[in-house]
Amino acid sequence: GEYSISIYRETRPNGASRYRITMRAAEESLWQASSGGVDPTKAETVKIRQIDVSITPELARVLRDALAAMVDQTRPLGHEEQPAKIVIEGPLTEVMVLRDGKVVAGQMGNFPPTMPKLRLLEKLIANLKSLCESPPSDRTHLLAEVTSSAEALRNEIASGR
């Protein structure tokens, strides 16, 4: 089913901050359950699970920098990047960043990524999903993978390629 991943700072009542990744995932496809979006009420019974993972402020900053830079570079696809086939349905990756009180968004379509930055973004998102779905005992290794993916994406963006 569909899923969303949020990365955010949470302020506790005592004023202390902590950084979190939250994944919410549908147990089955909301699109299918709603008959292709025709009857959204049919999807109301689909169970949604929530997983929360604490992260360091440093990882939160790297993720924000990389994802915000990707959103800043959002543009229409060039002719050579257009998919060779028409895709009726499939996954859509949407990255949203809160900047100056406004949400700024970028999208990656449902076809294989054609540019190194898009491949790195796809890997980062897969690593974030794996982190959230993993048992807590496996998270130390996966946090390192997420950090590595985020840094690779940030470095690729900074290279200007």
Side-chain angles (χ1 to χ4, degrees):
E2 298 87 351
Y3 66 94
S4 68
I5 298 173
S6 302
I7 304 159
Y8 57 96
R9 180 179 66 186
E10 182 178 71
T11 305
R12 296 180 180 176
N14 66 2
S17 292
R18 68 179 173 176
Y19 294 84
R20 315 266 292 183
I21 298 172
T22 294
M23 185 173 101
R24 291 185 180 96
E27 301 262 329
E28 63 182 274
S29 170
L30 296 168
W31 179 253
Q32 295 295 327
S34 66
S35 302
V38 174
D39 187 357
T41 60
K42 289 183 177 180
E44 290 175 0
T45 59
V46 174
K47 292 187 190 264
I48 307 292
R49 61 189 164 96
Q50 178 173 318
I51 302 157
D52 297 302
V53 178
S54 293
I55 60 173
T56 65
E58 294 78 23
L59 177 54
R61 192 169 20 265
V62 170
L63 288 165
R64 178 173 173 78
D65 290 350
L67 295 172
M70 282 301 291
V71 168
D72 289 344
Q73 294 187 9
T74 297
R75 59 171 176 71
L77 293 177
H79 178 69
E80 73 284 356
E81 299 169 308
Q82 297 289 332
K85 299 177 183 176
I86 295 173
V87 180
I88 303 297
E89 65 179 81
L92 173 70
T93 300
E94 186 167 43
V95 176
M96 293 180 274
V97 177
L98 186 62
R99 184 177 293 131
D100 300 324
K102 295 182 183 176
V103 175
V104 183
Q107 293 181 342
M108 183 172 78
N110 52 4
F111 39 88
T114 55
M115 306 294 283
K117 287 181 276 196
L118 294 177
R119 285 190 285 275
L120 289 168
L121 175 63
E122 183 177 66
K123 182 178 180 181
L124 173 59
I125 291 168
N127 284 338
L128 286 166
K129 186 173 189 258
S130 293
L131 171 69
C132 292
E133 292 176 329
S134 70
S137 60
D138 293 345
R139 289 188 179 151
T140 301
H141 165 72
L142 293 167
L143 280 166
E145 289 289 321
V146 167
T147 302
S148 176
S149 296
E151 288 173 346
L153 176 57
R154 186 177 63 178
N155 293 339
E156 180 68 22
I157 293 165
S159 76
R161 288 182 270 178

